[in-house]
Amino acid sequence: MAARVTRQQAREAAIKSFMSSFDRLIPAVLSNPLKGAKFIDWENQVEQMAQAVLPTVLEQRAMLE
């Protein structure tokens, strides 16, 4: 079966998903404040990021088969 996306398209979709979540975690714009004051806050933010990004990565990987 032919891949439904190219490897480059899959990488771009995964990177786009990651960067969108990462920008919420650590905004590139210095005027946007960082959120959270404790380590547990940061852990929770990273967990939310993983929950947002991992399904996209798995979906893109599956579409390469």
Side-chain angles (χ1 to χ4, degrees), residues 24-25 27 33-45:
R24 284 190 294 279
L25 181 67
L34 297 172
K35 296 178 182 173
K38 297 180 180 179
F39 194 83
I40 189 70
D41 298 329
W42 308 331
E43 282 184 312
N44 290 337
Q45 291 170 17

Side-chain angles (χ1 to χ4, degrees), residues 1-53:
M1 179 196 309
R4 294 193 279 171
V5 296
T6 66
R7 188 176 290 196
Q8 184 62 33
Q9 289 169 324
R11 289 176 49 83
E12 288 171 4
I15 290 167
K16 181 179 177 182
S17 177
F18 171 80
M19 289 306 296
S20 175
S21 291
F22 188 65
D23 283 341
R24 284 190 294 279
L25 181 67
I26 303 176
V29 179
L30 296 177
S31 62
N32 291 348
L34 297 172
K35 296 178 182 173
K38 297 180 180 179
F39 194 83
I40 189 70
D41 298 329
W42 308 331
E43 282 184 312
N44 290 337
Q45 291 170 17
V46 171
E47 179 61 31
Q48 290 173 353
M49 182 177 159
Q51 294 297 320
V53 174

